[in-house]
Amino acid sequence: MFKEFPHPDEKQRLQLSRELGLAPRQIKFWFQNRRTQMKAQHERADNSSLRAENDKIRCENIAIREALKNVICPSCGTTPVTEDSYFDEQKLRIENAQLKEELDRVSSIAAKYIGRPISQLPPVQPVHISSLDLSMGNFGGQGLGGPSLDLDLDLDLIPINSNLAFQPPGISDMDKSLMTDVAANAMEELLRLLQANEPLWMKSSTDGRDVLNLDSYQRIFPRAMSHLKNPNVRIESSRDSGVVIMNGVALVDMFMDSNKWVESFPTIVSVAKTIEVISSGMLGNHSGSLQLMYEELQVLSPLVPTREFCILRYCQQIEQGLWAIVSVSYDIPQFASQFRCHRLPSGCLIQDMPNGYSKVTWVEHVEIEDKAPTHHFYRDLIHSGMAFGAERWLATLQRMCERVACQMVSGSSTRDLGGVIPSPEGKKSMMKLGQRMVSSFCSSISTSNSHRWSTLSGLHDVGVRITLHKNTDPGQPNGVVLSAATTFSLPASPQNVFNFFKDEKTRPQWDVLSSGNAVQEVAHIANGSHPGNCISVLRAYNTSQNNMLILQESCIDSSGSLVVYCPVDLPAINIAMSGEDPSYIPLLPSGFTISPDGYPDLGDGASTSSNTQGRMARSSGSLITVAFQILVSSLPSARLNLESVNTVNSLIGTTIQQIKAALSCPGS
């Protein structure tokens, strides 16, 4: 049937569905996948034929040039070797070596992903290409441990918000064909993972989460070779589903745009960059779009290294109102040697609902090579798969979509303080300012390759981590900024800790900006269904700084919470509240991240709303990261001296002591 009618019409598909007992949609997708496979096979055959012909011609050229070496000049009796012929020969040898490397690399990738043995090829030789240099400057590897600390700042540092400085690799037509094949196979696997239940997925006996049955998985999806073959490798897999306040087209656009991807998940995605667009897909809905991307994923603590991936992201519209997006690791020589994480087919299924919402089912499936032991604070949270799992992704997506929906609402909420923000434009401007503040805060404590942390000893067993960067982007204070952060644990539920930071009445107990004075909320913008998701403008009753206000954004979901704040002067707040562009208002935020410690709460626990009673929120204790930023100098040359370090070290130490005392945890 396929040979005669590779593009069957609807009538033919219906006839086949009746004869085979399959749904018309299954028939449609079988023909689509078959056409894709045939196209890839034809392209590979053509490429192989052309390469063989090219190699034959090149060998003939080399043989002719070798023969010319033995030609004797009739005049002088010597071999006529010129400089040009020498370099031509060297050029041909280099080209031969490059073609050999390319063929070996593509053969290796094909055998790994497609599972088809290529026995006729010689063993793969390592490609000696210098690894990607993502470092952005540090203290030269020097630890910050003694009282004589006095370090010069290297002003050749790349600005903190600069894009990754690397050249995308040259991608040939053969590479693109192979990428298309890999993406199609990954999509097929993801759809089965999304829709299958037992025996592929089982319910965890401890918390009821969906856990992948690895034995069943390996039987259903056999692979020619595992990506990471050593005892330090472990698997993290999870699946979750929920309803999101956003339609499918908008969600697909968010997922397929690397800039929107970072903006939508600032607490998870620290870096995302589109390396190459392999296929742009259909206009308007991204169906068929295929991209090669680089991304780094984070837990907001200097104790947890980021996870780096080079992935293929592929979008396919299954039917009207139903999309699937898959991400799968793809090795490129420039990056492969440095990655310790490998993403197996992961992604989501997005289904439009009649009310403009979407149902999203999310799957995360990753192989991790633990080259260094995980810090004991985060061991349970990470090894359980909750720190980077589907539950966290989905909870963050739901919260961010609620935020977008609140930003689009023109009216004022009953919780918004009336009269202070005069217009819907002012509300949107304040929300943009808050979003930029949160993104800047998350970036400042990230362990991305754009940062190099050094540890100060003396506070506790973790120590305070510090790093320097030079701000040059609009909306950031110009100059050299010292970022400092540390993580500590408390035997208190994450909900109680969040309530403590969020309550303006308890703020003088820990906030140095208030100088121990009372704090009053003068403006409030709700940006989610939970009352803790909001933007506030606070005034501290401090007579010495009557012109200074505090901009704060707090957010909470089942995976954790944030409280981020920043001093902003009154004229700048007025600019934002009037609806003007807030992009150039300088922000240097500080704040707290609150995560569950991974241990289940066996007691009654704190009472929470249904929005935050997720599995990750039910925890007996909390992991709190506190981070501050101070402007060291606005001069073109600066020196990090002992005074600056002592200031930030004392600030963090005092804050932690006050928090423990206020929450009755002095010995923790």
Side-chain angles (χ1 to χ4, degrees):
M1 177 69 180
F2 179 81
K3 293 180 180 180
E4 297 180 2
F5 303 102
H7 296 272
D9 56 24
E10 185 176 358
K11 182 178 179 180
Q12 291 171 323
R13 290 198 299 269
L14 289 174
Q15 181 180 351
L16 281 174
S17 69
R18 287 193 297 268
E19 293 176 356
L20 300 177
L22 299 174
R25 189 175 66 178
Q26 292 176 298
I27 300 295
K28 177 182 177 181
F29 293 142
W30 186 90
F31 275 93
Q32 288 181 353
N33 292 335
R34 184 61 177 169
R35 287 195 297 269
T36 301
Q37 293 172 2
M38 292 299 295
K39 180 181 177 182
Q41 290 174 5
H42 290 322
E43 289 180 352
R44 282 196 295 272
D46 292 343
N47 287 336
S48 299
S49 176
L50 290 173
R51 180 176 283 107
E53 184 178 352
N54 195 20
D55 288 343
K56 179 181 178 181
I57 295 173
R58 185 170 284 109
C59 289
E60 291 177 356
N61 286 337
I62 293 174
I64 293 172
R65 292 183 181 277
E66 290 292 334
L68 288 174
K69 287 183 178 181
N70 299 322
V71 175
I72 303 299
C73 177
S75 301
C76 60
T78 60
T79 303
V81 178
T82 64
E83 185 177 3
D84 291 340
S85 64
Y86 171 80
F87 283 112
D88 286 343
E89 179 185 346
Q90 291 298 106
K91 182 179 179 181
L92 286 172
R93 293 184 185 277
I94 293 172
E95 288 179 356
N96 282 341
Q98 290 174 343
L99 287 171
K100 175 67 164 51
E101 290 173 351
E102 181 183 359
L103 184 60
D104 289 344
R105 178 174 61 84
V106 172
S107 300
S108 173
I109 295 173
K112 182 185 302 181
Y113 287 99
I114 304 174
R116 300 169 185 166
I118 309 179
S119 57
Q120 69 271 22
L121 295 176
V124 178
Q125 299 296 324
V127 182
H128 298 288
I129 300 178
S130 60
S131 60
L132 173 64
D133 183 9
L134 294 175
S135 64
M136 299 182 68
N138 51 30
F139 298 113
Q142 301 295 325
L144 303 180
S148 61
L149 176 66
D150 193 15
L151 299 176
D152 288 320
L153 175 64
D154 181 4
L155 290 179
D156 291 332
L157 291 174
I158 301 175
I160 184 174
N161 292 324
S162 295
N163 290 327
L164 293 173
F166 66 89
Q167 294 295 327
I171 298 178
S172 65
D173 290 339
M174 185 175 183
D175 286 323
K176 292 182 179 180
S177 176
L178 180 58
M179 290 178 182
T180 301
D181 207 355
V182 170
N185 291 335
M187 178 63 75
E188 181 180 351
E189 178 175 322
L190 176 68
L191 290 174
R192 297 184 67 178
L193 290 174
L194 287 164
Q195 299 168 357
N197 290 311
E198 293 183 356
L200 195 57
W201 291 96
M202 302 181 300
K203 292 291 184 182
S204 170
S205 59
T206 57
D207 54 17
R209 295 190 304 131
D210 283 345
V211 178
L212 194 64
N213 185 328
L214 295 181
D215 291 335
S216 297
Y217 174 81
Q218 291 173 1
R219 285 196 302 268
I220 298 173
F221 304 107
R223 281 183 165 78
M225 56 184 293
S226 176
H227 185 75
L228 301 170
K229 280 286 188 181
N230 66 62
N232 295 324
V233 170
R234 55 186 177 81
I235 303 293
E236 292 181 9
S237 59
S238 57
R239 184 177 66 171
D240 199 14
S241 63
V243 176
V244 174
I245 309 178
M246 185 174 286
N247 64 62
V249 173
L251 286 174
V252 169
D253 185 56
M254 175 197 302
F255 283 37
M256 300 306 295
D257 186 317
S258 58
N259 293 327
K260 293 180 180 178
W261 182 246
V262 176
E263 292 174 1
S264 301
F265 296 94
T267 59
I268 303 179
V269 183
S270 60
V271 177
K273 187 176 181 66
T274 300
I275 301 174
E276 186 86 9
V277 176
I278 310 302
S279 173
S280 56
M282 295 179 61
L283 184 64
N285 63 6
H286 295 282
S287 182
S289 176
L290 176 60
Q291 299 178 10
L292 181 65
M293 300 177 64
Y294 169 83
E295 66 176 4
E296 291 185 45
L297 308 182
Q298 65 183 344
V299 169
L300 290 175
S301 170
L303 302 181
V304 183
T306 58
R307 294 183 173 181
E308 296 179 80
F309 299 94
C310 187
I311 61 171
L312 289 171
R313 178 162 293 173
Y314 176 52
C315 173
Q316 181 177 337
Q317 185 173 14
I318 308 300
E319 61 184 30
Q320 186 67 29
L322 184 64
W323 293 266
I325 298 176
V326 65
S327 297
V328 61
S329 284
Y330 189 85
D331 289 342
I332 293 180
Q334 290 93 323
F335 310 127
S337 62
Q338 67 188 42
F339 291 168
R340 61 183 183 88
C341 310
H342 184 78
R343 185 183 292 281
L344 298 172
S346 307
C348 61
L349 188 69
I350 302 170
Q351 183 176 6
D352 269 337
M353 300 177 67
N355 56 1
Y357 292 14
S358 300
K359 180 182 178 182
V360 177
T361 305
W362 200 300
V363 165
E364 282 293 309
H365 192 192
V366 184
E367 284 183 330
I368 305 297
E369 181 184 9
D370 288 327
K371 293 183 177 179
T374 306
H375 194 278
H376 66 90
F377 277 1
Y378 286 92
R379 186 177 299 122
D380 293 282
L381 192 65
I382 291 176
H383 286 203
S384 66
M386 294 190 296
F388 293 94
E391 296 92 340
R392 184 185 176 204
W393 280 101
L394 189 57
T396 304
L397 178 64
Q398 290 172 321
R399 176 174 55 79
M400 294 303 295
C401 288
E402 281 190 0
R403 193 185 196 284
V404 172
C406 290
Q407 187 173 354
M408 296 174 64
V409 174
S410 57
S412 297
S413 167
T414 56
R415 295 198 299 267
D416 292 347
L417 299 182
V420 178
I421 302 175
S423 66
E425 291 74 18
K427 174 183 174 182
K428 292 180 180 179
S429 179
M430 289 292 293
M431 294 186 73
K432 289 181 181 178
L433 188 62
Q435 182 177 14
R436 181 160 63 85
M437 178 178 67
V438 171
S439 297
S440 175
F441 172 77
C442 294
S443 176
S444 72
I445 59 175
S446 170
T447 54
S448 167
N449 282 300
S450 59
H451 293 76
R452 288 296 179 266
W453 293 89
S454 296
T455 304
L456 298 174
S457 60
L459 179 63
H460 46 67
D461 60 336
V462 173
V464 176
R465 311 290 178 96
I466 67 171
T467 185
L468 290 176
H469 60 264
K470 184 171 66 175
N471 278 334
T472 58
D473 290 349
Q476 299 292 335
N478 287 328
V480 179
V481 173
L482 169 65
S483 298
T486 190
T487 299
F488 63 101
S489 63
L490 283 180
S493 71
Q495 180 69 50
N496 286 342
V497 175
F498 175 76
N499 292 340
F500 170 74
F501 288 129
K502 181 69 177 61
D503 190 352
E504 61 194 71
K505 296 178 182 178
T506 59
R507 191 181 191 92
Q509 299 180 35
W510 58 266
D511 184 11
V512 296
L513 292 178
S514 66
S515 301
N517 297 303
V519 175
Q520 180 186 11
E521 186 180 49
V522 297
H524 180 109
I525 301 174
N527 59 12
S529 58
H530 190 283
N533 292 330
C534 64
I535 297 171
S536 302
V537 178
L538 307 171
R539 180 188 294 276
Y541 288 98
N542 185 350
T543 55
S544 64
Q545 296 184 10
N546 289 330
N547 203 37
M548 185 63 66
L549 298 173
I550 300 173
L551 176 66
Q552 175 176 290
E553 176 157 350
S554 59
C555 55
I556 182 170
D557 56 43
S558 61
S559 65
S561 56
L562 281 175
V563 178
V564 182
Y565 59 93
C566 179
V568 183
D569 58 28
L570 183 58
I573 288 290
N574 287 334
I575 289 174
M577 287 185 176
S578 65
E580 297 183 35
D581 184 9
S583 301
Y584 294 92
I585 297 176
L587 298 174
L588 206 57
S590 301
F592 303 89
T593 73
I594 306 157
S595 302
D597 60 7
Y599 294 98
D601 186 1
L602 302 179
D604 294 335
S607 175
T608 62
S609 71
S610 60
N611 288 341
T612 57
Q613 276 193 333
R615 306 178 189 94
M616 296 182 71
R618 300 195 192 109
S619 177
S620 62
S622 302
L623 299 175
I624 303 169
T625 296
V626 52
F628 292 102
Q629 296 185 82
I630 61 173
L631 187 64
V632 175
S633 175
S634 58
L635 300 176
S637 61
R639 188 177 181 85
L640 179 64
N641 52 39
L642 187 60
E643 181 180 358
S644 299
V645 175
N646 284 339
T647 297
V648 73
N649 199 22
S650 174
L651 178 63
I652 289 182
T654 302
T655 301
I656 293 176
Q657 292 175 3
Q658 292 174 338
I659 292 170
K660 290 182 176 180
L663 291 172
S664 301
C665 307
S668 59

